[in-house]
């Protein structure tokens, strides 16, 4: 993998290369001051308007992009692809983002997915308040909420590795949208992970789900691929497989987990990535020591507030027995492309008499590669 030194001049050179290498040919049309508050831009902000040109025949494609003028916009290592229908960004894995295996944690991966999704939304003019809302949604007080997240990691990047993530959206029936991701090792162009997520629309005041109206759908679909594009071929994955509810008590548990202030997002709710950490808290230590996480699927069912107390429950899926996966075909082991994975079911619930369900999940774990 590509390694980046800590030398300041090297970093500047790398950022310059990443910021401009592979960018679409563009024509600077004019500079103008705009007052586009409805699209999340500050008043009187100077934008460079670019007509994106196809390298194939020199024709201007069907949208005009605005190159934002803030320092963050200029230094961010990301941009829309040539056709404007997906977004790519490069990230350097920091020392504080790796865990006990000396590689990026799954929480790091999830945080990067969240970051690239937000940056994609901002790049096409959606709101900058963390909700990625369209003009019609803001007018009606509607926001997006996560319904399901599925992440697969084939190879975890290490400290100083550079990861490139591509993301795009598309319609998902009448009630939501789907956002997909592909993660690559930037040095080798090898796919090291994939993810898909489903988002529903909620009224911010009533907290009730609402169908996606035609007006909102039109505002979203203009930035989506014309034909369905799936990061994970659904016939080869259990990303859509139903997750049964885990009965209490689980085989393994961590009780009375409490949100820290650092777990709250900009909207004063527990961040989606925090749930991943809570799920993993109740994993058996022998699996943590001998396996690494291959995939995680989470169904989000209830918001968690800062004063809530949470119980994390885990059980082995299938016959409930930990197995040596080499050479076995036990019911608690899933097979995919000739590889065996130990699977677990998870439940996050409020630590109250009612035990209201917050989140249910499934994880699949593969044996760690033996070290020479």
């Amino acid at each position: 993998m590509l390694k980046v030194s800590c030398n300041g001049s090297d970093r500047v050179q790398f950022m310059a290369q990443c910021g401009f290498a592979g960018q679409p040919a563009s024509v600077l049309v004019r500079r103008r001051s705009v007052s586009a508050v409805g699209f999340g831009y500050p008043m009187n902000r100077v934008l460079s308007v670019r007509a994106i040109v196809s390298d194939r025949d020199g024709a201007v494609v069907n949208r005009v992009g605005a190159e934002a003028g803030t320092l963050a916009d200029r230094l961010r290592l990301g941009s829309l692809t040539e056709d404007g229908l997906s977004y790519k960004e490069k990230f350097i894995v920091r020392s504080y983002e790796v865990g006990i295996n000396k590689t990026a944690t799954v929480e790091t991966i999830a945080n990067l997915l969240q970051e690239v999704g937000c940056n994609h939304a901002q790049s096409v003019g959606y709101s900058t308040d963390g909700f990625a809302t369209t003009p019609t949604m803001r007018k009606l007080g509607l926001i997006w909420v996560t319904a399901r997240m599925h992440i697969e990691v084939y190879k975890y990047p290490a400290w100083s590795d550079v990861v490139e993530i591509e993301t795009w959206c598309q319609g998902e029936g009448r009630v939501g949208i789907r956002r997909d991701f592909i993660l690559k090792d930037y040095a080798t162009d090898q796919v090291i992970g994939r993810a898909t997520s489903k988002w529903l629309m909620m009224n911010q005041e009533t907290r009730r789900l609402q169908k996606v109206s035609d007006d909102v759908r039109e505002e979203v679909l203009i930035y989506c691929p014309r034909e369905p594009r799936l990061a994970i071929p659904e016939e080869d994955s259990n990303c859509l497989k139903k997750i049964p509810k885990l009965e209490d008590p689980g085989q393994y548990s961590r009780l009375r987990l409490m949100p820290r202030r650092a777990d709250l997002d900009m909207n004063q709710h527990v961040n989606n990535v925090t749930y991943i950490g809570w799920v993993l808290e109740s994993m058996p230590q022998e699996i943590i020591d001998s396996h690494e996480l291959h995939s995680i699927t989470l169904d989000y069912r209830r918001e968690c507030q800062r004063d809530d107390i949470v119980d994390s429950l885990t059980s082995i899926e299938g016959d409930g027995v930990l197995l040596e996966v080499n050479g076995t075909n036990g019911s608690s082991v899933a097979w995919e492309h000739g590889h065996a994975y130990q699977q677990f079911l998870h439940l996050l619930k409020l630590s109250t008499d009612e035990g209201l369900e917050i989140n249910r999940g499934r994880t699949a774990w593969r044996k760690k590669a033996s070290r020479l």
Side-chain angles (χ1 to χ4, degrees):
M1 285 190 173
L2 178 65
K3 302 287 184 178
V4 180
S5 74
C6 294
N7 180 278
S9 61
D10 289 343
R11 272 191 195 171
V12 172
Q13 183 179 13
F14 169 76
M15 292 168 67
Q17 291 171 348
C18 290
F20 297 100
Q23 297 293 312
S26 59
V27 179
L28 181 63
V29 180
R30 60 194 174 101
R31 296 182 67 84
R32 63 187 178 94
S33 294
V34 298
S35 179
V37 177
F39 282 83
Y41 295 120
M43 295 288 287
N44 300 321
R45 180 175 172 186
V46 177
L47 302 178
S48 299
V49 180
R50 298 187 306 163
I52 300 179
V53 178
S54 169
D55 290 332
R56 183 178 64 256
D57 54 13
V60 177
V61 299
N62 60 353
R63 69 180 301 275
V64 174
E67 185 179 15
T70 69
L71 180 61
D73 292 326
R74 294 197 299 272
L75 296 181
R76 184 175 291 129
L77 305 181
S79 64
L80 291 169
T81 54
E82 180 183 350
D83 59 10
L85 302 180
S86 70
Y87 176 89
K88 291 183 179 181
E89 186 166 352
K90 289 164 278 292
F91 299 93
I92 304 170
V93 177
R94 310 296 184 180
S95 61
Y96 52 81
E97 295 174 322
V98 302
I100 59 176
N101 295 327
K102 300 181 181 180
T103 55
T105 65
V106 68
E107 291 100 320
T108 293
I109 299 297
N111 275 319
L112 293 181
L113 298 182
Q114 184 169 273
E115 176 71 8
V116 75
C118 288
N119 292 343
H120 178 208
Q122 290 190 37
S123 72
V124 297
Y126 293 163
S127 69
T128 59
D129 58 4
F131 290 122
T133 51
T134 69
T136 299
M137 291 177 67
R138 291 194 292 280
K139 186 189 307 180
L140 300 176
L142 302 173
I143 59 175
W144 295 113
V145 294
T146 313
R148 172 172 274 218
M149 171 65 75
H150 176 86
I151 303 172
E152 296 181 2
V153 183
Y154 315 131
K155 181 181 179 182
Y156 285 88
W159 174 25
S160 295
D161 287 343
V162 179
V163 177
E164 181 181 69
I165 305 178
E166 181 181 9
T167 186
W168 63 93
C169 288
Q170 53 203 321
E172 181 81 354
R174 297 295 302 175
V175 296
I177 62 170
R178 171 178 176 148
R179 176 177 286 279
D180 282 25
F181 308 83
I182 294 178
L183 297 83
K184 290 185 176 181
D185 173 354
Y186 183 62
T188 65
D189 206 38
Q190 174 190 5
V191 174
I192 60 173
R194 302 176 189 271
T196 186
S197 58
K198 183 176 181 178
W199 298 75
L200 302 178
M201 207 162 59
M202 173 187 283
N203 185 291
Q204 192 171 3
E205 295 298 324
T206 66
R207 317 308 289 181
R208 293 182 178 275
L209 297 179
Q210 186 165 323
K211 288 185 177 181
V212 180
S213 67
D214 290 338
D215 289 342
V216 172
R217 188 172 299 279
E218 289 177 3
E219 290 174 330
V220 171
L221 291 184
I222 189 175
Y223 302 112
C224 296
R226 304 297 179 253
E227 299 293 333
R229 181 188 176 196
L230 305 180
I232 303 174
E234 293 173 353
E235 64 274 11
D236 297 332
S237 170
N238 63 2
C239 63
L240 298 181
K241 186 178 177 182
K242 183 179 179 180
I243 303 175
K245 183 177 180 180
L246 178 61
E247 296 301 324
D248 188 5
Q251 290 177 289
Y252 310 92
S253 63
R254 282 293 301 272
L255 306 180
R256 301 189 63 79
L257 298 168
M258 300 181 64
R260 303 170 304 160
R261 290 172 181 164
D263 294 328
L264 303 180
D265 61 20
M266 65 183 75
N267 307 309
Q268 297 296 309
H269 294 101
V270 173
N271 189 288
N272 289 339
V273 179
T274 299
Y275 297 126
I276 296 177
W278 283 346
V279 162
L280 299 182
E281 276 297 302
S282 57
M283 280 295 299
Q285 187 62 44
E286 56 264 42
I287 291 293
I288 298 296
D289 292 339
S290 60
H291 290 64
E292 62 182 359
L293 183 66
H294 169 72
S295 67
I296 183 169
T297 311
L298 295 178
D299 281 341
Y300 296 89
R301 295 176 174 269
R302 182 180 300 275
E303 293 179 293
C304 189
Q305 311 294 332
R306 63 182 180 183
D307 295 326
D308 289 334
I309 301 176
V310 177
D311 290 344
S312 174
L313 309 178
T314 290
S315 288
I316 303 165
E317 186 171 16
D319 57 19
V321 178
L322 284 178
L323 298 173
E324 282 292 335
V325 297
N326 293 331
T328 186
N329 193 23
S331 60
S332 62
V333 174
W335 292 83
E336 184 176 329
H337 303 302
H339 298 284
Y341 302 98
Q342 179 86 60
Q343 293 196 145
F344 294 83
L345 296 177
H346 305 273
L347 175 67
L348 296 180
K349 68 181 187 68
L350 293 179
S351 184
T352 59
D353 292 339
E354 294 84 2
L356 297 176
E357 185 179 13
I358 299 171
N359 190 298
R360 65 176 67 175
R362 173 185 285 113
T363 57
W365 299 75
R366 59 177 176 257
K367 274 278 195 179
K368 290 181 181 177
S370 58
R371 296 185 178 181
L372 300 177

